[in-house]
Amino acid sequence: MSAVFVTATGTDIGKTFVSCGLIRHARAIGRPVDAIKPVATGFDQRDPQGSDAGMLLTALARPVTSEELERVCPWRFSAPISPHLAAAHEQRPIDFAQLVEFCRTAISRARGLLLIEGIGGIMVPLDDRRTVLDLISLLRIPVLLVTGSYVGTLSHTFTGLEVLARRNIDIAVIAVNETPGSATSVEDTAKTLAHFAVPLDVVPLPRLAPDAPEHPAFAQILSLLSA
């Protein structure tokens, strides 16, 4: 597959962490890869490198400049809240048609794998009528669903899978990102998800430090995205 939409069961689950890991692994094996994160909130102009878009650019070995930020993330808002609210606060509503066209253009121009990282979870509102799910539905590309190992993640993940299935959206793989301090392990969470989500592939991913060596789970996920 040439393009994958990276979404999650909620906010701060690990979409950017997983996306950056996949980018680094793809580059390490010589596979062409690119990434965009069309919409971002909580963007700090004083620390662009620390933003999700900045981390994607760093993983891609591209400079974190205004031009590059605009290329990968044109809708950036400062308030760390839902996109439709952040856009309203800044009186810069998200033009949904332009958002869809931006993503489609990126897909058409991509060489190799393109990761489109969403914002928040599957059902986060982008404007007064449309959510991230509506964007995924129109793009008609497979989904990489990132979830955690926190207590409650099973219900959140199964609900997300049900919502995606109702829109006939293909799910390429579920990545279970370890939640620090959880009462349950990432391995047990992944096993339970795999049991109930047959035949979907579920890959557990331990929480890693930014400077940690590459984990083989990224190779497994990338392989599944290539199938």
Side-chain angles (χ1 to χ4, degrees), residues 91-173:
Q91 297 183 345
R92 290 193 298 124
I94 297 170
D95 186 313
F96 188 74
Q98 289 183 7
L99 173 59
V100 173
E101 184 59 27
F102 171 79
C103 293
R104 286 177 172 166
T105 298
I107 293 170
S108 68
R109 293 177 177 174
R111 290 180 56 253
L113 177 66
L114 174 68
L115 301 175
I116 301 180
E117 184 184 324
I119 181 168
I122 298 168
M123 295 296 292
V124 166
L126 295 170
D127 61 18
D128 290 340
R129 295 189 297 118
R130 275 73 60 102
T131 68
V132 169
L133 178 64
D134 294 307
L135 176 60
I136 299 172
S137 296
L138 286 172
L139 296 179
R140 306 312 304 176
I141 59 176
V143 161
L144 163 55
L145 179 61
V146 182
T147 188
S149 62
Y150 58 91
V151 175
T153 196
L154 298 178
S155 179
H156 295 166
T157 305
F158 295 143
T159 300
L161 292 174
E162 177 70 19
V163 166
L164 292 167
R166 289 182 181 181
R167 296 286 186 97
N168 296 313
I169 295 168
D170 291 335
I171 301 163
V173 58

Side-chain angles (χ1 to χ4, degrees), residues 24-218:
R24 292 190 180 98
H25 178 72
R27 293 183 60 243
I29 63 174
R31 180 174 176 183
V33 63
D34 200 357
I36 59 172
K37 184 183 177 74
V39 181
T41 61
F43 181 82
D44 187 347
Q45 297 281 0
R46 299 166 298 180
D47 182 28
Q49 288 84 1
S51 68
D52 290 349
M55 287 187 277
L56 291 175
L57 287 170
T58 299
L60 289 165
R62 299 189 67 90
V64 185
T65 61
S66 297
E67 293 77 10
E68 285 291 324
L69 286 169
E70 191 67 17
R71 182 183 71 84
V72 301
C73 186
W75 288 274
R76 305 185 301 278
F77 304 96
S78 59
I81 53 180
S82 173
H84 76 299
L85 293 176
H89 284 188
E90 296 187 21
Q91 297 183 345
R92 290 193 298 124
I94 297 170
D95 186 313
F96 188 74
Q98 289 183 7
L99 173 59
V100 173
E101 184 59 27
F102 171 79
C103 293
R104 286 177 172 166
T105 298
I107 293 170
S108 68
R109 293 177 177 174
R111 290 180 56 253
L113 177 66
L114 174 68
L115 301 175
I116 301 180
E117 184 184 324
I119 181 168
I122 298 168
M123 295 296 292
V124 166
L126 295 170
D127 61 18
D128 290 340
R129 295 189 297 118
R130 275 73 60 102
T131 68
V132 169
L133 178 64
D134 294 307
L135 176 60
I136 299 172
S137 296
L138 286 172
L139 296 179
R140 306 312 304 176
I141 59 176
V143 161
L144 163 55
L145 179 61
V146 182
T147 188
S149 62
Y150 58 91
V151 175
T153 196
L154 298 178
S155 179
H156 295 166
T157 305
F158 295 143
T159 300
L161 292 174
E162 177 70 19
V163 166
L164 292 167
R166 289 182 181 181
R167 296 286 186 97
N168 296 313
I169 295 168
D170 291 335
I171 301 163
V173 58
I174 302 170
V176 186
N177 196 32
E178 183 178 16
T179 304
S182 176
T184 187
S185 70
V186 65
E187 292 81 11
D188 285 344
T189 301
K191 287 179 182 178
T192 303
L193 288 173
H195 174 75
F196 282 93
V198 172
L200 297 177
D201 291 294
V202 181
V203 179
L205 187 61
R207 179 69 67 169
L208 303 170
D211 57 349
E214 182 182 313
H215 194 275
F218 290 119

